[in-house]
Amino acid sequence: MNLAIALPSFFASSVEFVEALTIVLAIGVTRGWRSAILGAVAAAALLFAITVAFGVTLTQLVPIGVLRIVVGTLILLFGIKWLRKAILRFTGLKASHDEAQIFREEAELARAHARVAAGQMDWFGFIASFKAVALEGLEVAFIVIALGATGRALGSAAAGAAVAGALVVGAGVAVAKPLARVPENLLKFVVGLMLTSFGTFWTAEGFGAEWWHADLSILWILLGYLLLSAVLILGLRRSSRSAERLAAPSTTAVTL
């Protein structure tokens, strides 16, 4: 088991599984569990097939140098996107994900559609559940394939995602409600740091760079991005507070 590959796969998958589970729970609670479970299982089977097919193909047919440049760049961009959103949420410039609110909205949407007769297949519930798992799961599949193929550890990446899925689904089934208390933004911040670090490491290696202490350099890269993120969060918070102070007098003047 390659923990350096399994851990980022685990954390990234956890975030996506929480978001998918929220919608599946809403469908199950409002329209019945049969269609919700069948839709989720069908989507999971499709994602598994995609992961195996593309992961094995990339690992066996694409030269490692090319793989590290192309996939490393994609992981880097993917990680920067997650990191940017997490930083903005930490500073209050972007609203946090509210799983409880999403659950309520999805439940209301499900109730608005006509119910089917007992014993018949609820295709609305099936499609809604399938779509939720498939869309969120595509990001999981991409991360598993990218990490597994580039690090030559597809099994470890898949194992990390599988464990995350089992834990999230198990917790959701146990409480039968959205996992609103999961520190989702913190998880996204951690995942963003990991993916950005791996992407930087592999892209540079693909272009022929030789890192100090080889794979251990990922830790130093991650630390560098962590410090940079901390500086950005503090700077954005100060800028936001300064903007609020400057806006306060003008607001008061208009009120008077």
Side-chain angles (χ1 to χ4, degrees), residues 4-238:
I5 298 297
L7 285 177
S9 177
F10 172 83
F11 286 119
S13 301
S14 297
V15 174
E16 302 300 338
F17 284 135
V18 166
E19 295 179 0
L21 179 66
T22 298
I23 299 175
V24 174
L25 284 174
I27 297 298
V29 168
T30 55
R31 301 190 63 88
W33 291 104
R34 181 188 173 203
S35 59
I37 292 173
L38 288 176
V41 170
L46 175 62
L47 292 169
F48 177 78
I50 291 173
T51 302
V52 171
F54 281 91
V56 172
T57 301
L58 288 175
T59 302
Q60 294 180 349
L61 301 181
V62 181
I64 187 62
V66 175
L67 198 61
R68 283 177 174 166
I69 292 174
V70 176
V71 179
T73 302
L74 291 175
I75 292 177
L76 176 60
L77 296 174
F78 208 67
I80 289 174
K81 183 189 77 170
W82 279 41
L83 201 54
R84 174 182 172 274
K85 288 182 178 179
I87 289 172
L88 290 176
R89 288 192 176 108
F90 277 134
T91 57
L93 297 175
K94 185 177 179 65
S96 297
H97 231 72
D98 188 344
E99 294 300 332
Q101 178 62 29
I102 294 173
F103 179 86
R104 288 191 293 270
E105 291 174 355
E106 291 295 333
E108 289 174 4
L109 180 63
R111 290 191 188 98
H113 282 74
R115 302 295 295 269
V116 298
Q120 293 185 355
M121 184 64 180
D122 181 8
W123 288 108
F124 172 82
F126 177 90
I127 293 172
S129 180
F130 178 90
K131 183 175 69 172
V133 175
L135 290 178
E136 299 296 342
L138 278 175
E139 290 198 26
V140 174
F142 169 76
I143 291 170
V144 169
I145 292 170
L147 290 172
T150 311
R152 290 295 192 258
L154 187 61
S156 296
V163 171
L167 289 177
V168 170
V169 172
V173 170
V175 301
K177 58 184 180 181
L179 303 178
R181 294 186 178 180
V182 173
E184 185 177 337
N185 195 54
L186 179 59
L187 285 177
K188 286 186 174 181
F189 181 67
V190 171
V191 172
L193 286 174
M194 287 182 169
L195 295 182
T196 304
S197 300
F198 276 100
T200 301
F201 179 83
W202 281 328
T203 302
E205 270 202 336
F207 282 109
E210 294 185 6
W211 291 97
W212 180 58
H213 286 303
D215 291 353
L216 287 177
S217 296
I218 294 176
L219 296 176
W220 303 112
I221 299 171
L222 191 148
L223 180 60
Y225 280 121
L226 177 60
L227 293 174
L228 177 60
S229 299
V231 171
L232 288 173
I233 290 172
L234 291 174
L236 287 172
R237 281 180 177 172
R238 289 179 180 176

